[in-house]
Amino acid sequence: MILKTVKDAKEAVADIPSGAFLMMGGFGLCGIPENCIEALLEKGITDLTIVSNNAGVDDFGIGLFLKKRMVKKMISSYVGENEEFERQMLSGELEVELLPQGTLAEKIRAGGAGIPAFFTPAGVGTEVAKGKETREFDGKPYLMERSFISDFSLVKAWKGDTAGNLIYKGTARNFNPMMAAAGKITIAEVEELVPVGTLDPNQIHTPGIYVQRIFQGKKYEKRIEQRTVSTYK
Amino acid sequence: MILKTVKDAKEAVADIPSGAFLMMGGFGLCGIPENCIEALLEKGITDLTIVSNNAGVDDFGIGLFLKKRMVKKMISSYVGENEEFERQMLSGELEVELLPQGTLAEKIRAGGAGIPAFFTPAGVGTEVAKGKETREFDGKPYLMERSFISDFSLVKAWKGDTAGNLIYKGTARNFNPMMAAAGKITIAEVEELVPVGTLDPNQIHTPGIYVQRIFQGKKYEKRIEQRTVSTYK
Amino acid sequence: MLTKEQIAQRIAQEVKHGQYINLGIGIPTLVANYIPSELDVVLQSENGLLGIGPFPTESEVDADVINAGKQTITMLPGSAIFDSAESFAMIRGGHVHLTILGAMEVSEHGDIANWKVPGKMVKGMGGAMDLVASAKMIIVAMQHCSKDGHSKLLPSCTLPITGVRCVKKIVSDLAVLEIDPEGGFILKERAPGVSVEEIKSKTAGKLKILGEIPEMQFN
Amino acid sequence: MLTKEQIAQRIAQEVKHGQYINLGIGIPTLVANYIPSELDVVLQSENGLLGIGPFPTESEVDADVINAGKQTITMLPGSAIFDSAESFAMIRGGHVHLTILGAMEVSEHGDIANWKVPGKMVKGMGGAMDLVASAKMIIVAMQHCSKDGHSKLLPSCTLPITGVRCVKKIVSDLAVLEIDPEGGFILKERAPGVSVEEIKSKTAGKLKILGEIPEMQFN
């Protein structure tokens, strides 16, 4: 097997330059690469373009990048849990491209899969269709969407082995697998890094071929946005 | 959960009519729906169009359909392990559409995913490109390929639960997951049918939403095409 | 006039045995509470889960198990987890039978607007555009009128739309209506105590009234 | 002239540390036997496996674990299994670095024909068209001439092609050649005991001979 281990987040992100095109896994704050985010904050690079379904909250996740003005452009499906985001967007400091969530997911999947473009019904007749080709198949209109490939994809998994094979847990999987496949360089941080041969080949979510660097995160806060509990059962 | 259990293969395929458009999982003889094949042979329907990566061998798998002249058209990437196939093809009794294996896999995946068409570099400049639109993206030519949706998809898994969730084993996975998603009606046969709640939600390969009928196969021969062993290790 | 809970309750009557359902944020989420327990249905969460269970107890809370509204939830026996591309493959491919979502406006042709108000902060469409473009059955839960009394059932949407000719049915605080494929809101039921006249006066789009309009029934 | 084993052995010298590799059926499969053990590489099987291990012992044989040639194989520690769509996503997306496959003809522009002979039974292209359309590095293992002595390295292919301008390097029983992006076979090495003259006479396409041509080295 080809070993992908790096020491820590700092080493993993060392060569990410200002102006890079990044993908960052997660849905809300669930399944985000917390350790890579921290390491990038310390590096303090700027002018990033970031593909991420959401933009974090004011004091966690990508929200921290916004505070430090590290982001030039966000490509997301849903933002607004974040006042600094709103301020920068309304003032024009931050460029924002909003895409339907399924279109976003599929553009990333297509990028990793060597498919330059595909057709989807989502967004036909809406603002999202502006500047895009519309075409009918079997009498129904579809938009042509181009795929995304990142310079660096930062993903977070539950377990990973030193060959880069990843297993996610629960709904923390979300955008991580497609982003792992769509990165020219993919950096995976995991809660538990295990030796090759520990994970069942039949149960790998992201095959190691997609991962160039892997490390075990120092700690995971796993902040919850909407802690909702039922008191009875 | 929505329960999908049917009694056996006979009940599962009871309403498949002559002329149906079928997808059948498997790579060679690995991971094929043996029990559904047997039940369809007994029904003796004809004029089937079958999407399957291969066409079985003379006396097993889809080869048995060919012997009984049940097939009008095969859509495959690699056929030729099968003399009766060759005879029917050369005599014009059997229509054959050959597609690059990755294109075949992606046409099925796209069908299940509601994507009517996509672009691939495979086959550009070859016979496969005939009648298909060629288009450049970033200076490289691609073919536009349309997706496939079947009337019935017949897939084979290792374990399944009564809600239709499936887990495959080893390389018997192959085309089965995409075909499961691309069937208007998907019939899954499994080696072991377990109650809902037995399988780990994190480790499901095919979510039950794609499966309309499931049963435990009576027996599996699992014939091997190229038994290759090493005598030393 | 119906409360939000009653709108959810009325919509729950539309749910059929064996359906896979996606519930939007807000009133649609409440529908889950009113689905009769004898119906087997599965709720899909577009962040990657089939089989949404009840909210967790304090000790069950798992930051890695949330719904599309970012709320902590539980899974059920028979649940399945998948990634976002697979989740929207499911939605786009028509495997999710029923989508219930909120709206700011619906046109008499079934266009829906629910993601953007010009001049206000745009939060994004999330999965709504994918859902309305593909689900076989789309039911909208909404208030018939805005807070300042303007009808939200219009000849055509004034806000940027989320999807074209996709809404099949509306349950508002005043009425149940179906979209006529040829255009128009077909009045099917009145909320208890609400007159046809009131609904007429509060529907800006073309309202079609065919015969006697019954009152909604709640069990 | 090289034996099939020697062709495989020479190709194995092209393999680099850290590569993911797809080996076609025939001579390419033999390459695996000659990859130096100090190089970490991973073999991909397009039916859905990364990490092809050796053939199984009798007791290890598992009908559910085969390679793309339908042979029973084993998996290695660190292997991963996936479906056919994912397998070709990997290939099409350029994640597989090196493809080694056989050919019936190669043109001086790097076109390859290896799937169909008119008038003969067509078995299908399998994964070859996807592989040649996407791999970054494509090396062909082939006989320089057909059994009846015709060159298989041509100005342009006469057989239906599998891919256009994709082959980068050829290892035949006579020589190692690279495709010049501007057209032509650049002769890089001679098989032991084979003269440049012989290679010249057996290459129908444009042969480019730059300087002294060394003999292949085998360790």
Side-chain angles (χ1 to χ4, degrees):
Chain A
M1 284 297 137
I2 302 163
L3 301 185
K4 316 287 177 68
T5 319
V6 295
K7 204 177 73 199
D8 55 16
K10 192 175 169 184
E11 182 183 334
V13 306
D15 59 348
I16 300 183
S18 287
F21 184 66
L22 306 184
M23 290 182 186
M24 295 179 64
F27 185 95
L29 301 179
C30 181
I32 61 173
E34 296 187 22
N35 291 272
C36 283
I37 290 173
E38 204 185 316
L40 283 174
L41 277 170
E42 276 169 31
K43 259 174 79 79
I45 48 176
T46 57
D47 290 307
L48 299 172
T49 295
I50 300 181
V51 178
S52 168
N53 188 57
N54 314 92
V57 295
D58 274 320
D59 60 347
F60 204 62
I62 294 172
L64 298 170
F65 287 3
L66 292 167
K67 229 178 217 167
K68 284 192 81 171
R69 313 279 173 93
M70 291 166 61
V71 187
K72 187 179 71 178
K73 181 176 181 183
M74 282 299 307
I75 301 172
S76 305
S77 89
Y78 190 83
V79 287
E81 340 257 23
N82 189 314
E83 281 181 28
E84 179 61 19
F85 188 98
E86 183 165 352
R87 201 197 56 72
Q88 290 187 21
M89 181 172 159
L90 294 178
S91 71
E93 286 167 69
L94 181 66
E95 244 182 285
V96 179
E97 182 179 351
L98 291 170
L99 290 167
Q101 194 174 140
T103 298
L104 181 65
E106 192 64 19
K107 282 165 84 87
I108 300 165
R109 191 263 171 194
I115 292 170
F118 61 91
F119 292 90
T120 175
V124 168
T126 76
E127 282 185 13
V128 166
K130 267 187 206 154
K132 291 174 187 165
E133 181 176 327
T134 304
R135 181 158 172 167
E136 277 201 12
F137 293 98
D138 303 325
K140 199 181 153 181
Y142 294 85
L143 296 186
M144 191 176 83
E145 292 281 358
R146 297 294 311 273
S147 60
F148 282 141
I149 292 170
S150 74
D151 296 327
F152 294 87
S153 283
L154 312 180
V155 304
K156 190 261 164 180
W158 180 37
K159 293 183 182 178
D161 69 18
T162 50
N165 294 303
L166 305 178
I167 295 177
Y168 307 92
K169 177 170 155 268
T171 56
R173 192 183 314 182
N174 54 64
F175 282 82
N176 284 295
M178 296 92 71
M179 289 181 172
K184 285 180 207 157
I185 301 284
T186 290
I187 301 168
E189 58 172 84
V190 298
E191 293 181 51
E192 194 187 344
L193 184 62
V194 300
V196 149
T198 313
L199 305 176
D200 177 356
N202 213 28
Q203 298 294 9
I204 303 298
H205 296 137
T206 289
I209 192 171
Y210 296 128
V211 174
Q212 280 69 46
R213 301 170 195 169
I214 190 168
F215 68 95
Q216 182 172 311
K218 264 206 308 272
K219 71 171 186 56
Y220 287 95
E221 184 176 335
K222 295 199 188 180
R223 201 180 289 190
I224 292 172
E225 279 182 84
Q226 305 284 341
R227 188 182 197 90
T228 315
V229 297
S230 61
T231 44
Y232 58 93
K233 277 276 274 213
Chain B
M1 285 296 135
I2 303 163
L3 302 184
K4 315 289 176 69
T5 320
V6 294
K7 203 176 76 202
D8 55 16
K10 192 174 168 187
E11 183 183 334
V13 306
D15 59 349
I16 300 184
S18 286
F21 184 66
L22 306 184
M23 290 182 185
M24 292 177 64
F27 184 95
L29 301 179
C30 181
I32 60 172
E34 297 187 23
N35 291 271
C36 282
I37 290 173
E38 205 185 316
L40 283 174
L41 277 170
E42 276 169 31
K43 260 173 77 81
I45 48 174
T46 59
D47 291 305
L48 298 172
T49 294
I50 300 181
V51 178
S52 167
N53 188 57
N54 314 91
V57 295
D58 274 322
D59 60 346
F60 203 63
I62 294 173
L64 298 170
F65 286 3
L66 293 166
K67 229 177 214 162
K68 285 193 80 173
R69 313 281 173 91
M70 290 165 63
V71 186
K72 187 180 73 179
K73 181 175 180 183
M74 281 300 306
I75 301 173
S76 303
S77 89
Y78 190 82
V79 287
E81 339 258 21
N82 189 314
E83 283 182 26
E84 178 61 17
F85 187 99
E86 183 164 354
R87 200 196 57 68
Q88 289 187 22
M89 182 173 159
L90 294 177
S91 72
E93 286 166 70
L94 180 67
E95 243 181 284
V96 179
E97 182 177 350
L98 291 171
L99 290 167
Q101 194 173 143
T103 298
L104 181 64
E106 192 64 19
K107 282 164 83 87
I108 299 166
R109 193 263 173 193
I115 291 169
F118 61 90
F119 292 91
T120 175
V124 167
T126 75
E127 284 185 12
V128 166
K130 267 186 205 153
K132 290 174 188 166
E133 182 174 327
T134 304
R135 182 159 173 165
E136 276 199 13
F137 293 98
D138 304 324
K140 199 181 153 181
Y142 295 85
L143 297 185
M144 190 177 83
E145 293 280 358
R146 298 293 311 271
S147 59
F148 282 140
I149 292 171
S150 73
D151 295 327
F152 294 87
S153 283
L154 311 180
V155 303
K156 190 261 166 183
W158 180 38
K159 293 182 183 178
D161 70 19
T162 50
N165 294 303
L166 305 178
I167 295 177
Y168 307 92
K169 177 170 156 266
T171 55
R173 192 181 316 181
N174 56 62
F175 282 83
N176 283 295
M178 294 91 72
M179 288 181 171
K184 284 180 206 155
I185 301 285
T186 291
I187 300 168
E189 58 172 82
V190 297
E191 293 181 49
E192 194 187 343
L193 184 62
V194 300
V196 149
T198 313
L199 305 176
D200 178 356
N202 213 29
Q203 297 295 10
I204 303 297
H205 295 136
T206 290
I209 192 172
Y210 295 128
V211 174
Q212 280 68 48
R213 301 170 194 168
I214 190 168
F215 67 93
Q216 182 171 312
K218 262 205 309 273
K219 71 169 187 57
Y220 287 94
E221 186 177 332
K222 294 199 188 180
R223 204 183 285 191
I224 292 172
E225 278 181 84
Q226 304 284 343
R227 187 182 197 90
T228 317
V229 297
S230 62
T231 45
Y232 59 92
K233 276 277 275 213
Chain C
M1 282 192 6
L2 302 187
T3 61
K4 286 178 182 183
E5 279 72 20
Q6 285 172 314
I7 293 176
Q9 199 178 348
R10 177 60 192 80
I11 290 177
Q13 295 174 17
E14 303 293 315
V15 170
K16 292 184 184 67
H17 183 76
Q19 282 183 328
Y20 289 88
I21 306 173
N22 185 289
L23 301 177
I25 295 167
I27 300 176
T29 303
L30 301 175
V31 172
N33 301 333
Y34 298 103
I35 299 173
S37 61
E38 65 270 23
L39 297 187
D40 288 335
V41 299
V42 176
L43 302 181
Q44 198 245 21
S45 192
E46 66 261 29
N47 56 321
L49 172 64
L50 275 170
I52 305 177
F55 293 126
T57 59
E58 273 295 346
S59 67
E60 287 173 334
V61 166
D62 183 344
D64 291 329
V65 182
I66 64 168
N67 65 16
K70 283 110 181 175
Q71 296 172 307
T72 45
I73 50 162
T74 58
M75 295 187 278
L76 296 173
S79 277
I81 294 279
F82 34 85
D83 65 40
S84 301
E86 185 71 44
S87 183
F88 283 92
M90 247 168 234
I91 289 166
R92 212 187 299 103
H95 306 279
V96 175
H97 305 109
L98 172 61
T99 283
I100 300 169
L101 76 177
M104 299 191 281
E105 293 178 352
V106 174
S107 85
E108 65 190 34
H109 295 286
D111 301 347
I112 178 173
N114 73 348
W115 77 285
K116 187 176 182 177
V117 178
K120 282 204 189 166
M121 164 70 185
V122 183
K123 298 193 170 192
M125 65 292 280
M129 283 192 183
D130 309 274
L131 282 158
V132 300
S134 301
K136 282 168 196 152
M137 184 65 189
I138 294 166
I139 302 178
V140 165
M142 67 191 294
Q143 304 301 323
H144 215 95
C145 295
S146 63
K147 279 175 197 150
D148 56 0
H150 290 99
S151 177
K152 297 161 102 179
L153 282 66
L154 303 168
S156 60
C157 292
T158 63
L159 295 171
I161 61 170
T162 309
V164 179
R165 291 175 179 271
C166 51
V167 175
K168 299 281 188 294
K169 194 171 264 195
I170 298 165
V171 178
S172 77
D173 51 340
L174 301 183
V176 176
L177 311 103
E178 284 177 10
I179 300 295
D180 187 335
E182 291 164 24
F185 300 99
I186 305 174
L187 182 58
K188 304 297 285 187
E189 298 174 23
R190 299 171 291 117
V194 173
S195 68
V196 170
E197 278 316 298
E198 180 176 354
I199 296 165
K200 219 172 178 174
S201 72
K202 291 183 171 170
T203 303
K206 189 192 299 170
L207 187 70
K208 297 188 171 176
I209 302 160
L210 311 163
E212 201 62 36
I213 308 300
E215 252 188 22
M216 293 179 207
Q217 299 297 316
F218 293 93
N219 318 320
Chain D
M1 279 192 8
L2 303 187
T3 62
K4 287 179 181 182
E5 279 71 21
Q6 286 172 313
I7 293 176
Q9 199 178 346
R10 176 60 191 83
I11 290 177
Q13 295 173 16
E14 302 292 318
V15 169
K16 293 185 184 66
H17 183 76
Q19 282 183 327
Y20 289 88
I21 305 172
N22 184 290
L23 301 177
I25 295 167
I27 300 175
T29 302
L30 301 174
V31 172
N33 301 332
Y34 298 102
I35 298 173
S37 61
E38 65 270 23
L39 297 187
D40 288 334
V41 299
V42 176
L43 303 181
Q44 199 245 21
S45 192
E46 67 260 31
N47 56 322
L49 172 65
L50 275 170
I52 304 177
F55 294 125
T57 59
E58 274 294 348
S59 68
E60 287 173 334
V61 166
D62 182 344
D64 291 329
V65 183
I66 65 169
N67 65 16
K70 283 112 180 174
Q71 295 172 309
T72 45
I73 51 163
T74 58
M75 296 186 278
L76 296 172
S79 278
I81 294 279
F82 34 85
D83 65 41
S84 301
E86 185 73 43
S87 183
F88 283 92
M90 246 168 234
I91 289 166
R92 212 188 298 104
H95 305 279
V96 174
H97 304 111
L98 173 60
T99 282
I100 301 169
L101 76 177
M104 299 192 280
E105 294 178 353
V106 174
S107 85
E108 67 191 31
H109 294 286
D111 300 348
I112 179 173
N114 74 348
W115 77 285
K116 186 176 182 177
V117 178
K120 282 204 188 167
M121 165 68 185
V122 182
K123 298 193 172 192
M125 64 293 280
M129 283 191 185
D130 309 276
L131 283 159
V132 300
S134 301
K136 281 167 199 155
M137 183 64 188
I138 295 166
I139 302 178
V140 166
M142 67 189 297
Q143 304 300 322
H144 214 95
C145 295
S146 63
K147 279 173 195 150
D148 56 0
H150 289 100
S151 177
K152 298 161 102 179
L153 282 67
L154 303 168
S156 60
C157 292
T158 63
L159 296 171
I161 62 171
T162 310
V164 180
R165 291 174 181 269
C166 52
V167 175
K168 298 282 187 296
K169 194 170 264 195
I170 298 166
V171 178
S172 76
D173 50 342
L174 301 183
V176 176
L177 310 102
E178 284 177 9
I179 301 294
D180 187 336
E182 288 165 24
F185 300 98
I186 304 173
L187 182 58
K188 304 299 284 188
E189 297 174 25
R190 299 171 291 117
V194 173
S195 68
V196 169
E197 278 317 300
E198 180 178 353
I199 295 165
K200 217 172 179 174
S201 73
K202 291 183 171 169
T203 303
K206 189 189 300 169
L207 187 71
K208 297 191 171 174
I209 302 160
L210 309 166
E212 202 62 35
I213 307 300
E215 256 190 18
M216 293 179 207
Q217 300 296 318
F218 293 94
N219 318 321

